[in-house]
Amino acid sequence: MSERERDLAENLRAVQDEINRACDAANRAHDVTLVAVTKTYPASDIRILYDLGVRAVGENKDQEAKAKAAELVDLDLEWHFIGQLQRNKAKSVASYCSVVESLDRPQLAHALGAVGTPIDVLVQISLDAPDTQNRGGVRSDDLPELLEVIDGEHALRLRGVMGVAPLGDDPADAFRRLAEAHRRVLDGHPEATWISAGMSHDLQWAIAAGATHVRIGTALLGERRYDR
Ligand SMILES: *Cc1c(COP(=O)(O)O)cnc(C)c1O
């Protein structure tokens, strides 16, 4: 076993323990799905995680993700797109992703729908305070229109919501707002049961607020470096 294999096995066990403890604290079954966020890390790390049992991976850049997906076609992986997505990348992303978690505007829904490949989507909900800069996600006023556009695109299967807690805000509050938005989505879309919330430093609050999926990068793979 290589040193990297040992490190990733240890990190994965620690993250799974933390997820299970958070489920216990919230009186929930151990049914939270781990999405390993592998951005900036090589395909070889994803192969190691796969051998350890990980099936869902999250990436935020099309070019990088597509190259890794091509290198790992022999694995039964589920690719989640979790970053800002340009309309002109919709076709590319739909060619290897099973889930786009960051659907946040009607134009992107039209572009993804026009590709025609059936794909699961989550609506990314903005958790930023109303008077602050929006760091991604649909604002609650614009949610009904986005849902209507998704309903009209038959290739898109709405599975739920996604959110990123703003830095410096109370994560418990942020994830409560996400759960509230989720209730609005469920009303009329009873099959949209997923809540993707929680990263390395706030997963316990996300799980307390009902997260079905957590997106974990740093705690699994280490601090990201952007200069390699
Ligand atoms: C990078 C990223 C994550 C993972 O964050 P960590 O703090 O490294 O666990 C989760 N979600 C999104 C949207 C990301 O961009």
Side-chain angles (χ1 to χ4, degrees), residues 108-182:
L108 180 57
H110 284 307
L112 266 178
V115 177
T117 311
I119 190 164
D120 286 349
V121 296
L122 303 182
V123 167
Q124 183 177 351
I125 304 290
S126 171
L127 301 180
D128 297 306
D131 304 326
T132 60
Q133 195 197 342
N134 189 2
R135 299 186 318 136
V138 61
R139 299 274 197 181
S140 58
D141 288 351
D142 300 325
L143 180 59
E145 186 201 350
L146 178 56
L147 293 175
E148 214 176 290
V149 171
I150 293 171
D151 289 343
E153 294 291 346
H154 296 297
L156 305 184
R157 186 155 79 122
L158 181 63
R159 301 303 304 274
V161 298
M162 183 271 245
V164 178
L167 291 170
D169 198 356
D170 176 358
D173 262 8
F175 293 136
R176 264 196 298 272
R177 293 198 293 279
L178 181 61
E180 199 178 291
H182 183 231

Side-chain angles (χ1 to χ4, degrees), residues 37 39 82 164 199-200 215-218 224:
V37 176
K39 62 193 186 197
I82 63 170
V164 178
M199 317 192 342
S200 294
R215 307 178 307 272
I216 309 297
T218 309
R224 283 178 295 276

Side-chain angles (χ1 to χ4, degrees), residues 11-220:
N11 293 347
L12 179 60
R13 199 169 322 115
V15 166
Q16 275 165 343
D17 284 349
E18 200 184 339
I19 291 171
N20 289 341
R21 275 198 305 275
C23 289
D24 293 342
N27 267 316
R28 295 183 47 183
H30 293 180
D31 57 1
V32 173
T33 300
L34 169 66
V35 179
V37 176
T38 48
K39 62 193 186 197
T40 78
Y41 285 97
S44 56
D45 279 350
I46 302 177
R47 199 173 280 282
I48 295 172
L49 289 172
Y50 183 87
D51 288 338
L52 294 166
V54 170
R55 290 295 175 268
V57 290
E59 290 277 343
N60 69 344
K61 290 204 163 59
D62 172 54
Q63 212 179 12
E64 179 186 342
K66 189 177 201 171
K68 291 181 205 172
E71 205 175 324
L72 299 169
V73 275
D74 57 311
L75 306 184
D76 179 24
L77 282 164
E78 182 179 297
W79 295 84
H80 289 226
F81 199 85
I82 63 170
Q84 290 238 10
L85 182 54
Q86 304 298 321
R87 266 183 296 173
N88 61 1
K89 299 289 171 72
K91 188 169 182 196
S92 173
V93 160
S95 72
Y96 60 90
C97 281
S98 331
V99 188
V100 171
E101 296 202 10
S102 44
L103 183 50
D104 61 355
R105 57 197 194 282
Q107 299 93 314
L108 180 57
H110 284 307
L112 266 178
V115 177
T117 311
I119 190 164
D120 286 349
V121 296
L122 303 182
V123 167
Q124 183 177 351
I125 304 290
S126 171
L127 301 180
D128 297 306
D131 304 326
T132 60
Q133 195 197 342
N134 189 2
R135 299 186 318 136
V138 61
R139 299 274 197 181
S140 58
D141 288 351
D142 300 325
L143 180 59
E145 186 201 350
L146 178 56
L147 293 175
E148 214 176 290
V149 171
I150 293 171
D151 289 343
E153 294 291 346
H154 296 297
L156 305 184
R157 186 155 79 122
L158 181 63
R159 301 303 304 274
V161 298
M162 183 271 245
V164 178
L167 291 170
D169 198 356
D170 176 358
D173 262 8
F175 293 136
R176 264 196 298 272
R177 293 198 293 279
L178 181 61
E180 199 178 291
H182 183 231
R183 283 191 291 275
R184 292 176 61 197
V185 172
L186 269 180
D187 181 25
H189 304 84
E191 68 296 338
T193 53
W194 295 7
I195 301 179
S196 171
M199 317 192 342
S200 294
H201 298 292
D202 56 19
L203 71 87
Q204 59 272 48
W205 290 282
I207 288 173
T212 59
H213 294 67
V214 291
R215 307 178 307 272
I216 309 297
T218 309
L220 270 183

